[in-house]
């Protein structure tokens, strides 16, 4: 009988040890599952942040092109001479002479402007076409004052004040406007 009791106690001891090993393994696996779930959450958050960053970069790249397009409608303080040359060339194309009498900065800090005093000389048709070409040039331009008269040499002369939207001077050559 003693041998049956010994076998029974050994079987119970083996069962207790097996349960203890199983419990320890279960706790270890459970703890690792929690760590894996935590790491998966961190990976998901990092992936979402990277996706948002990539989307923001793509949006900024698209906006940069739009910004350059919008800036082309304004005259940079760096490009005043090129703008004046453009106005004179527009006048010559219409067979009129455009002269710039003065250039001044103005406006507000949020909406800077350049004010140009111009004279346009030529035939009546050439003067009027030149004024139209200047007013409807691809710039944020507005004719604020205009007077047209005949000069003593049987030609026509228009004196006008042109207010053009401006952007502050920058050192970045890509931000400077180009003359169309």
């Amino acid at each position: 009988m003693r041998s049956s009791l010994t076998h029974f106690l050994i079987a119970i001891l083996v069962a207790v040890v097996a349960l203890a090993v199983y419990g320890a393994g279960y706790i270890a696996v459970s703890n690792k599952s929690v760590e894996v779930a935590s790491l998966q959450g961190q990976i998901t958050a990092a992936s979402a942040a990277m996706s948002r960053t990539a989307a923001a970069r793509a949006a900024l790249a698209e906006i940069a092109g739009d910004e350059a397009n919008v800036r082309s409608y304004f005259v940079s303080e760096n490009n005043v001479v090129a703008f004046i040359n453009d106005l004179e060339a527009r006048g010559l194309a219409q067979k009129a002479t455009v002269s710039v009498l003065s250039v001044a900065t103005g406006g507000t800090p949020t909406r800077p402007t350049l004010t140009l005093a111009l004279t346009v000389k030529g035939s009546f048709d050439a003067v009027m076409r030149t004024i139209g070409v200047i007013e409807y040039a691809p710039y944020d331009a507005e004719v604020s004052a205009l007077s047209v008269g005949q000069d003593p040499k049987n030609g026509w002369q228009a004196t006008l004040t042109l207010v053009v939207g401006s952007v502050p001077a920058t050192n970045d050559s890509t931000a400077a406007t180009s003359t169309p």
Side-chain angles (χ1 to χ4, degrees):
M1 209 151 167
R2 190 151 202 172
S3 146
S4 301
L5 183 62
T6 306
H7 287 295
F8 179 69
L9 289 176
I10 290 174
I12 288 181
L13 182 63
V14 168
V16 168
V17 169
L19 280 174
V21 169
Y22 175 77
Y26 181 80
I27 290 171
V29 169
S30 177
N31 289 340
K32 291 297 178 185
S33 292
V34 169
E35 288 179 34
V36 167
S38 173
L39 289 174
Q40 181 62 41
Q42 291 174 3
I43 289 170
T44 302
S47 295
M50 287 175 42
S51 295
R52 286 190 304 273
T53 301
R57 283 185 180 155
L60 285 174
E62 183 179 325
I63 289 171
D66 293 342
E67 180 184 11
N69 189 24
V70 169
R71 277 184 165 270
S72 71
Y73 290 98
F74 298 93
V75 177
S76 169
E77 292 175 9
N78 291 340
N79 290 341
V80 173
V81 173
F83 179 68
I84 291 171
N85 290 339
D86 179 55
L87 292 177
E88 291 172 351
R90 289 175 188 272
L92 287 176
Q94 302 301 323
K95 297 185 174 109
T97 304
V98 176
S99 302
V100 178
L101 303 176
S102 67
V103 178
T105 58
T108 64
T110 57
R111 190 171 187 266
T113 60
L114 296 173
T115 304
L116 291 89
L118 306 171
T119 59
V120 182
K121 294 180 181 180
S123 68
F124 181 79
D125 187 47
V127 168
M128 296 311 287
R129 281 186 285 131
T130 301
I131 292 170
V133 166
I134 289 173
E135 186 176 15
Y136 294 108
Y139 293 103
D140 176 29
E142 174 184 330
V143 175
S144 65
L146 174 66
S147 66
V148 180
Q150 196 169 17
D151 72 4
K153 299 177 186 173
N154 286 334
W156 287 86
Q157 176 176 326
T159 304
L160 62 124
T161 303
L162 184 67
V163 179
V164 182
S166 179
V167 290
T170 62
N171 292 331
D172 184 6
S173 62
T174 60
T177 58
S178 62
T179 306

